[in-house]
Every structure is written in structure tokens, then in C-alpha cells.
Amino acid sequence: MEWDLVRRWADEGKLAVFARLMATGASGELASTAAQLPDTVWTAALAGVNPGKHGKYYYVQYDPRRCALRWASDDEITAVPLWEHLSRAGHSVGVIDIPRFPLSRSIVGYQINSWGVHGPLTARASNPPELMREIDARLGAHPVGESDAVDDRPGPMRRPRERALDAVRLRGELCRWLMTRHPCEVFIAGFSEPHSIGHLFWHYTERSDSAAAGADQRSLSDTMEQVYRAIDHEISEMIKAAGEGVRVMLFAPHGMGPMRHASWNLSQILELLGYGPTRAPQRKSGSVARRAAINPWRMLRVVLPGRLQYWIRDRMPRPLRERLVFLWYSGGRSWKGRRAFAVPQNDSVGAIRISVRGRDFGGMVQPGEEYEGVCRDISQALGELVDPDTGKPVVKRIGITREEFSGPYLDKLPDLTVLWDQSFNWDSIASPRIGTLRLPIQDLRTGSHTPHGFVIATGAGIGAGTELRAHSIYDIVPTVLAAAGVPLPGGLDGRVMTALAPTHDRKSSMRA
């Protein structure tokens, strides 16, 4: 859920509950790992640790032992989530559809996994097991299903809009039923619907005021707003069901914005810089713009209707399906013999792996001074990339992973991350070292992640209208534990948001 949109629509009176909670409590933006490794945000936020301490950063990861790709499920994540810390302290917890965590076996209360999360990577299950069967009998399946299995035309796009609004209503019903039937001290629920809708409907939102937009497009332009408003209503009903004196925390570990990036051409950029199979830079002379390389496997995703893609996928043997996903990311390139290359990552942030001797199969770069020199050179070269039409830089931020994260799984992560600037339109890149490249469209989605997380909280001892500053998604876990009176475990990377965790007796602080 995008913080800029929440504030705008709250100010306009369209999100009454968000507006009231912001006025009567505390709120603010949260720094997020979405600026470096977007797929880690839920694990980082609800385990309170950086990606170097949980190792999984994407569902398809580079395997340094084989110089190849591998499938990575959420079941690999070993970081201890918030609900297990609370359970160990004797507090009962209900957890509904929090992504990027395996099913906990030691929870005091219950957990539901993958009933309706976006891009589920762990089994659809519950603890206790009979709870999911009970939910299916009462409410049935989540209405959205595969969110990308759509055709981007106004007629067919009405279906995902309707399904998303139905899903928000059904999720609210599920939450209130569980709160009543299985009361607990802490209730944690995720709404996945703004995520899916943000990916698919961002361009309709952007075109809503365009004279060129047809009536069909304008009829879809308020889809994101309607989904946000539906969530606002369901949260209002959940708060009523919880009763007086409840402590409320709403947070999003990342936001959503327009999709503008050069991630799919990052390997080609590195080749042009001399990091490909040969060390010689590959830039062609002359000032004429060239069309950037196309990954034919990605173009299948753009050309084939979404429903047809998923119909074919569901009938493939799993090994073949995984092989096609690997081709979809690598474009058939071999990474052997390259000093640096792009690895799979969420499109809004490119990711680069450096082939290091002693760490990577066939490593070519010496650790230490040579490695640091390569990081500096690539960072400088990427920082020079501009939009040739405006002269504006297209890279907003370059992260060196070893300077930003720590932990036993650091070597599994990319070495460099590239946050693209999504604040203006650009479809070409240029620099003295690579020349000018026109970027082909290789995406079906039109919206992508932004690093704008946020938190809103109300409850006893939280000052009305408090503005929170300089906090991150790592701070969610220590703040909730402090409010619950639970001693903070070692190894957390966040700190307590003191404005949200005043000292209370156990009974009043735990009604959340």
C-alpha cells in the first residue's frame, strides 16, 4: 500500500479510518529493504532482522556453488517471527496470511498460511490443520487466485477489479469471524489485495485524467482507490469487533508505484562495461541510439494472454516449469567466465553478483582490494546512466550489500543493488561508457514496488498526531514486543519506537 496515496486519500476524506487513526495516534514513513531487496520486506519487518540473517531474498536465487539458478521457497527462512517470540512469552497469537514465512509449529494460538497471499511460496495450510478446512467450508477459496492471469484490456480487467473487492470483503469477514471464534491477545492479519491491484492497475490510475483515455479506461481508473477504501472499511469493522481499548498498528513494509527500470537489460549493460565473457568494453562507436537486447523468453510473457500463460503453466511438469522460469530470468545466458552479472530480483531494483574466487564457482575476482575496486567501478558507471531526453539520472540509489547488511547468509545475497528512479517517465538510457540504449517493453505489469513503508498506531499512551521520524521496518518487532512487556531477544536489528510502546500493565497492553 503506497503511503503517498494513503495520505492523499485520507486528506480527501476517502479513507476515514486511516485519517482518524493518524489524527488520534502516531504515523510516519518507514525505511524499507525494498530499496535494496524488495522481496525481503515481510521477513525483515516481522522477524526484525536484515536479509543477511535470513538468507532468502527472492524465489529464484543464484547458487554460487554451481554458477546457476535454483528455486528458493519460504520454507528455507529460519528467522524467528514476531508471533513465536510472543508465544514463547506465553501470549496467544492469531496470524492470518503473512507472506514470506513458513508455517510455525510452536505457536500459542493459530496461523493461516497462503489462504490469499500475493505470490504464495509456501503451502496453503494452517496450524492447527483443521482450521483451514473450517475456513474453506465457511468462506471458500480466496477470490483473486493468480493475479497475473489476466488480459490487459478494459473488458477483461473488470474481473480482477471485482475479484479484488470481493476478496477484501471476504478477508474482513474471515478476520472478524476468527477474532470472535478464536479470541487471542495479539491478532496479526495481512491484506494482499492492494499489492496485486497495484501491479496491474497503476497505469489506469495514471491515465485517469488523460484526454486520450477512453471511457472503458476511465471506468477502471479508480480501482486502486476503491480497493484502499474497501480495506479502510474492513479495518473499521475489525476495530469495532475487537472492542474498546484495543491497540491498533497498521503498517506496510513497502509501497507501490509506476514500473520504470532497466533491470532486464542489466546483464547487457555490464557486458558493455567490460564485465562480460571478454574484458573489453563492448560499446559500439557512434551516437545513434541502439535497441537494447530482448530476452525472447520474457517476450513470451508480454505477447501471450495472461490466462493462456497460466493455463499452459498449470499443465507443465514442475521441472519444466522451473526451467522456463530460469530462462525467463537469465535469457539463456551462461554466467561462467563473467566477472559480474545480473541475477534475478524484483524488477524495481536490479541485482548484481560479482564472481569472487573462493566464494563462487569459477570465481574470477580476488576478494579484498580487487573486489572493492569492481564494486566502485560498477557503481560509478551505473551512476552515470541518464535519460537521454531529459538528462536526469535514472538510478536513484546503488547499494553495496556488505556495507548495508550483516549476518551468516551474507554470501547468498547479491553484491550490488540498483534502485531505479520511478518518479518520471523514461524508456532509454545513456552514458559515455555504454552509448544510448532504447529499452524494449518486457513487462506485463505496470506497477512495481517502492521503498515507501509506513506505520500508523493508536492506543493508550500514544499521543494524538505524533509524527514518527527516522524509523525502519526493522522496528516493528521490538516495538510490539516492548508494548507486550516481552524482553527483546538478542540479534534484532531494529529499535523500539518509544512513542508507540509506553509502559502498561499486561492486560491493557496486550489487547491488540
Side-chain angles (χ1 to χ4, degrees):
M1 195 176 249
E2 175 59 34
W3 183 223
D4 291 341
L5 295 178
V6 168
R7 288 184 295 179
R8 183 206 306 175
W9 290 332
D11 288 343
E12 294 173 357
K14 297 174 179 177
L15 302 178
V17 176
F18 277 85
R20 175 172 59 82
L21 296 176
M22 291 162 67
T24 59
S27 63
E29 187 167 339
L30 298 176
S32 171
T33 57
Q36 303 115 322
L37 299 170
D39 212 51
T40 66
V41 294
W42 281 101
T43 314
L46 286 170
V49 297
N50 79 81
K53 293 179 180 177
H54 53 80
K56 179 182 178 291
Y57 68 90
Y58 202 50
Y59 76 102
V60 175
Q61 294 192 182
Y62 170 75
D63 184 350
R65 299 167 299 177
R66 300 185 299 116
C67 193
L69 295 179
R70 70 176 186 87
W71 201 266
S73 80
D74 289 343
D75 294 322
E76 295 183 18
I77 296 170
T78 59
V80 180
L82 169 62
W83 44 92
E84 290 192 7
H85 290 303
L86 291 167
S87 293
R88 291 170 186 176
H91 298 302
S92 59
V93 189
V95 183
I96 295 89
D97 261 4
I98 300 300
R100 304 301 177 260
F101 283 99
L103 192 67
S104 295
R105 300 299 178 187
S106 58
I107 191 170
V108 176
Y110 58 90
Q111 181 181 1
I112 298 162
N113 260 23
S114 298
W115 176 74
V117 301
H118 173 82
L121 294 172
T122 191
R124 187 179 187 273
S126 67
N127 184 14
E130 61 271 15
L131 186 55
M132 184 67 83
R133 294 192 291 270
E134 195 174 355
I135 292 169
D136 285 342
R138 182 180 180 86
L139 300 175
H142 186 266
V144 170
E146 291 287 358
S147 60
D148 287 327
V150 298
D151 301 333
D152 185 17
R153 290 177 289 116
M157 288 299 284
R158 292 192 183 92
R159 289 187 62 197
R161 171 191 169 107
E162 293 166 0
R163 287 199 301 260
L165 291 169
D166 286 344
V168 172
R169 176 191 55 78
L170 201 63
R171 189 181 296 276
E173 184 179 340
L174 169 64
C175 289
R176 291 188 295 276
W177 175 70
L178 288 168
M179 292 164 70
T180 302
R181 184 174 178 84
H182 303 282
C184 53
E185 294 176 284
V186 182
F187 186 80
I188 306 170
F191 280 82
S192 66
E193 293 78 18
H195 189 155
S196 303
I197 288 298
H199 277 313
L200 297 176
F201 282 83
W202 189 269
H203 61 305
Y204 289 106
T205 303
E206 286 188 320
R207 296 174 187 170
S208 60
D209 298 324
S210 171
D216 283 342
Q217 290 186 349
R218 284 194 292 271
S219 72
L220 297 171
S221 64
D222 70 341
T223 299
M224 289 183 63
E225 178 189 318
Q226 291 303 320
V227 169
Y228 281 37
R229 294 178 74 167
I231 291 172
D232 185 86
H233 171 75
E234 296 304 330
I235 290 173
S236 173
E237 296 302 307
M238 289 166 64
I239 293 172
K240 291 177 185 176
E244 294 294 327
V246 67
R247 296 175 64 83
V248 178
M249 175 186 283
L250 310 181
F251 78 92
H254 66 81
M256 190 66 68
M259 179 177 283
R260 297 170 185 130
H261 67 87
S263 292
W264 305 128
N265 292 98
L266 197 50
S267 284
Q268 182 185 11
I269 294 168
L270 292 169
E271 291 171 4
L272 294 171
L273 294 173
Y275 288 95
T278 63
R279 298 189 64 160
Q282 299 297 305
R283 184 175 72 86
K284 295 180 181 179
S285 60
S287 58
V288 178
R290 295 177 288 130
R291 184 175 176 83
I294 294 175
N295 178 344
W297 299 98
R298 285 204 62 79
M299 292 309 295
L300 286 175
R301 181 75 183 270
V302 175
V303 173
L304 291 178
R307 283 178 292 178
L308 177 58
Q309 291 179 38
Y310 281 88
W311 185 89
I312 295 171
R313 187 206 68 170
D314 291 344
R315 285 154 181 79
M316 284 183 178
R318 184 176 178 86
L320 177 57
R321 186 191 310 177
E322 292 185 1
R323 175 62 180 159
L324 287 176
V325 170
F326 295 164
L327 287 170
W328 189 57
Y329 278 107
S330 69
R333 279 183 169 89
S334 171
W335 294 324
K336 295 177 182 177
R338 298 169 184 262
R339 291 187 296 152
F341 46 88
V343 293
Q345 162 80 315
N346 185 280
D347 37 52
S348 61
V349 184
I352 296 170
R353 182 79 178 190
I354 296 170
S355 178
V356 178
R357 291 181 183 173
R359 184 190 72 174
D360 298 87
F361 179 84
M364 301 178 68
V365 176
Q366 287 284 4
E369 186 176 345
E370 185 180 3
Y371 170 84
E372 293 170 1
V374 169
C375 288
R376 287 194 301 270
D377 180 62
I378 294 175
S379 297
Q380 180 179 345
L382 294 176
E384 294 170 356
L385 295 175
V386 299
D387 168 30
D389 292 334
T390 64
K392 293 181 179 179
V394 298
V395 174
K396 190 169 185 179
R397 183 184 185 279
I398 299 168
I400 299 177
T401 304
R402 289 184 173 274
E403 295 178 358
E404 299 179 326
F405 302 135
S406 62
Y409 301 107
L410 196 60
D411 281 348
K412 291 186 175 183
L413 305 181
D415 294 287
L416 296 168
T417 58
V418 188
L419 176 63
W420 306 100
D421 195 329
Q422 298 167 305
S423 66
F424 68 101
N425 285 312
W426 50 276
D427 57 13
S428 298
I429 56 174
S431 79
R433 292 179 64 176
I434 73 164
T436 301
L437 293 176
R438 297 191 305 272
L439 304 173
I441 295 175
Q442 299 186 75
D443 294 294
L444 190 65
R445 296 169 172 176
T446 60
S448 191
H449 301 190
T450 72
H452 305 146
F454 70 86
V455 63
I456 303 169
T458 62
I462 299 177
T466 300
E467 184 176 358
L468 301 170
R469 296 178 180 271
H471 286 288
S472 80
I473 61 174
Y474 299 140
D475 299 340
I476 297 291
V477 168
T479 300
V480 175
L481 292 178
V486 177
L488 301 188
L492 295 181
D493 289 315
R495 59 190 174 92
V496 176
M497 293 182 266
T498 54
L500 306 188
T503 302
H504 292 291
D505 64 83
R506 171 175 166 144
K507 182 177 179 180
S508 64
S509 68
M510 286 311 301
R511 295 194 63 226

